[in-house]
Amino acid sequence: MEWLSGASSLLVVVAALAVVHRPLGDFLAHTYTSTRDLRIERGIYRVIGVDPESEQTWQAYARAILGFSLVGMLAVYALQRLQPVLPYSLGLPAVPELLSMSTAASFTANTNWQSYLPESTLGYTVQLAGLVVQNFVSAAVGMAVAVALVRGVAHRRSGTIGNFWVDLVRGTVRVLLPISILGALVLLVGGVIQNFNGFQDIQTLTGAAQVLPGGPVASQESIRLLGTNGGGFFNANAAHPFENPAAWTNILQILLMLLIPSAMPRMLGTMVGDRKQGYAILAVMGVLFLALWAAAMVFELAGAGTAPGLAGAAMEGKEARFGIPGSVLFGIVSTGTSTGAVNSMHDSWTALGGMMPLLAMMLGEVAPGGVGTGLYGILVLSIIAVFIAGLLVGRTPEYLGKKISTTQIKLASLSILITPALVLIGTALSFAIPAVRADVEGTSIWNPGVHGLTEVLYAFTSAANNNGSAFAGLTANTDWFNAALGVAMLLGRFLPIILVLALAGSLAKQEHVPATAGTLPTHKPLFVGLTAGVIILVTALTYFPVLALGPLAEGLVA
């Protein structure tokens, strides 16, 4: 029965995505290739002093992203520090300095990691003017980078990859704003709250007093999911009934997370003039996602362990209105799309079941990945795959009509090595430095032993991959975690972006290479299997030792 419920929910999601895949993908392609600007866009360009007709080199594109992100990060930091003097602060104090910096880095990097209780830490002005704004623009930045890489593949002998400011404005105005407004209205119908009521004292049915927080939740909920951001208005995130009231709103939120990432392969195919290439990329994403979802369902429904066995199901940390199928689908989607929203506590999943969201992030969040980040991440891995295929047959590899030489493979390799390095170094330092280890084990970790190791590993995996979900068993509001996770979020976001843009620039300079009899077809099942295999192999070789010390060891003991 549970399998039937899970499969039917998945089929509903897939059917809905199939309906919008073509029109949304083509609309995305039109958005970033159109030569006409909307009136509101022309007004924005005049205000910020941008010539929309100008093109940028990859270096200029990267400088624009870094400068814009730095200004955004400083603005979010300042809003938190100035909170007591802002309107609608709800009487809340200023956020401490290190926590403010960590939060600013988190939302600027599209991670939305929250080491605090949102409803009792941030007032409405900080939420709306700081966090919600970053939900829009950080998502638009990710989409812009993906489009820049696609242009690098599509352009011939060009020294430019587009204009960041145009891509940023168009992604925000034409894509994110209209869809998020529609999504917020539907969520309102579903019971998600939207008000400025602050904290209200109520009397429960038993006569006890209780304080309930209000807030403009629906508007933030829509963009945080659509932009694969993930930061919740409430500490319970999408498990809170004010954020996610019913089973059908749960499905809607899953759709919002998958909407743009699943349509971007169609955009790729349209922009490079070969839509079969987009379908091949989508197939790789789908294969990896289905494998993760099926494995998580198996482990969670098996309910290995004494407590789940006695209860008849692994329902600890899960909402009854979603059950295991709704919790598993939401969890795999949120970690596979770099969203980080949760409707159940991953810390309470079974040991091997909880390893699946962890693996979804360790795969590089390409199943199907975040808005933009998923597409450029899997394109980098596809370049690695064709390079390996070229080595096997002894010829220069090609991908989408461009030769993959030493320059491209170095940039691609460095890009996929940054995140694992941040994850493993951060986890190791948390236990290797005596003073830090004493603080982590004495203050942060709720569960000793291998499960505690998994909690720390999950935190750094989530931060470095810009996911933002937590294992819910780790107190991260400490000096060490605020600083270390903040650094991991920033480096995990912007170092790969710089390398991807450099890759786009190197590809854009090349002439198109005609396919020959020796060219590996990159639109057929062989390439789909090869790319999926490379992604799994890279992940297994990189993370298996630490997984063996954490969730695998715990699962085998259970």
Side-chain angles (χ1 to χ4, degrees), residues 179 254 409:
I179 300 177
I254 289 170
I409 201 62

Side-chain angles (χ1 to χ4, degrees), residues 71-88:
V71 171
M73 179 176 167
L74 293 176
V76 176
Y77 175 82
L79 285 170
Q80 294 175 87
R81 297 295 294 152
L82 296 172
Q83 178 166 255
V85 301
L86 297 176
Y88 290 103

Side-chain angles (χ1 to χ4, degrees), residues 47-138:
V47 170
I48 63 178
V50 168
D51 177 11
E53 303 296 327
S54 65
E55 292 271 323
Q56 294 175 314
T57 63
W58 78 262
Q59 294 96 330
Y61 204 102
R63 286 196 297 269
I65 288 178
L66 294 177
F68 175 76
S69 299
L70 176 61
V71 171
M73 179 176 167
L74 293 176
V76 176
Y77 175 82
L79 285 170
Q80 294 175 87
R81 297 295 294 152
L82 296 172
Q83 178 166 255
V85 301
L86 297 176
Y88 290 103
S89 66
L90 307 180
L92 298 172
V95 181
E97 293 180 2
L98 200 54
L99 179 58
S100 292
M101 186 57 69
S102 175
T103 303
S106 174
F107 279 80
T108 304
N110 197 244
T111 310
N112 295 26
W113 174 274
Q114 296 170 295
S115 298
Y116 55 89
L117 301 177
E119 62 265 44
S120 59
T121 303
L122 300 181
Y124 297 158
T125 300
V126 178
Q127 291 269 15
L128 295 176
L131 307 191
V132 172
V133 169
Q134 285 303 312
N135 283 347
F136 278 99
V137 296
S138 66

Side-chain angles (χ1 to χ4, degrees), residues 462-480:
S462 178
N465 284 280
N466 301 133
N467 184 270
S469 65
F471 221 45
L474 185 76
T475 300
N477 190 13
T478 65
D479 289 349
W480 165 253

Side-chain angles (χ1 to χ4, degrees), residues 184-204:
L185 292 174
V186 179
L187 288 172
L188 274 170
V189 173
V192 179
I193 68 170
Q194 180 79 11
N195 59 56
F196 289 88
N197 293 341
F199 300 100
Q200 297 190 42
D201 297 318
I202 67 166
Q203 189 174 41
T204 67

